[in-house]
Amino acid sequence: MTLPRTDLGAAGAPALVLLHAFPVNRHLWDGVAGTLADSGWRVIAPDLPGFGEAAPAVQPPDVAVAAATVFAMLDGLGVKEFSLGGLSMGGYVAMAVLRQQPDRVRSLFLVDTKMAADTEPARENRLAIADRALAEHSTEFLVDAMLPNLLGPVTLASRPHVVHQVSEWIRGTSAEGVAWAMRAMAARPDSSATLAGYPGPALVVGGTDDRLSPPDEQEQMAATLPMGQLELVPDVGHLSAIEDPQAVAAAMLGHPEMGPHA
Ligand code: MLT
């Protein structure tokens, strides 16, 4: 499968692959990607299977399948080594990438994500949402259900363009894409050992107002990564990269050890 993607910066520059959250698409990274490309990265941000312009996966739901599509894209582009960033679901896929070919990942950005597997109630809730999306042939119900958790209170009150954009992205996501990803996330394993075994530079970025992956979980992930560092971005919730892209880009660029490695 060829993943549609944003590809910014010089072709020969160090590659940074950015993976988006659920249930949105690669444009989540638009406000961050230009700044990172201006700072020396080649930023590659794909739509994951079933989101944005990407066709749904045909294989059974599994974050490992999404990771394999990322490798297929990178192999097609001739990119061997890369830095890797994932926001929330993108982070789960990034952890699956690390399980498959860790030696290709030069540095790791985990943004608003979690290393723990789902609790049983969370898993059941995901499977119910997957069934409902398919039964209704719609993702409309997810707008009201998810927005108060995806966006922080400052964004909900004072960044109406972000509220509008995220709502439109959710509406534009297919029921099939939502169902596949929900089932894949429900089945994902605990990733603590994966992170504990990753020897490279790693930065955890979290929003101070994130209710889905709160700051204490971000601290635990940074402590689990052997070279983990932590940056908390004020006044943003779970989708920090669109809530305050400049602050997220500044956090990512504030650690020279993360690259770009000229
Ligand atoms: C996301 O933002 O990708 C989702 O909140 C991830 C999840 O449902 O765990």
Side-chain angles (χ1 to χ4, degrees), residues 21-22 87-89 92 114 126 146 150 185 212 238-239:
F22 172 95
L87 197 153
S88 197
M89 178 182 75
Y92 309 156
K114 289 184 277 204
R126 285 195 197 279
M146 291 196 72
L150 289 177
M185 289 192 284
L212 295 178
H238 188 61
L239 294 186

Side-chain angles (χ1 to χ4, degrees), residues 117-212:
D118 282 352
T119 61
E120 195 50 40
R123 194 171 291 133
E124 282 168 14
N125 185 46
R126 285 195 197 279
L127 300 180
I129 290 172
D131 290 346
R132 181 172 171 187
L134 291 178
E136 296 184 5
H137 302 292
S138 170
T139 57
E140 180 66 37
F141 69 97
L142 286 177
V143 176
D144 288 344
M146 291 196 72
L147 267 192
N149 288 326
L150 289 177
L151 302 175
V154 174
T155 299
L156 289 168
S158 63
R159 297 172 179 136
H161 58 290
V162 174
V163 177
H164 175 75
Q165 182 63 83
V166 172
S167 304
E168 289 302 299
W169 284 340
I170 296 173
R171 282 192 187 99
T173 300
S174 70
E176 290 73 21
V178 160
W180 192 93
M182 274 302 199
R183 291 167 178 164
M185 289 192 284
R188 77 189 194 283
D190 181 279
S191 292
S192 323
T194 304
L195 298 191
Y198 177 67
L203 179 66
V204 174
V205 180
T208 53
D209 303 340
D210 186 349
R211 290 157 53 169
L212 295 178

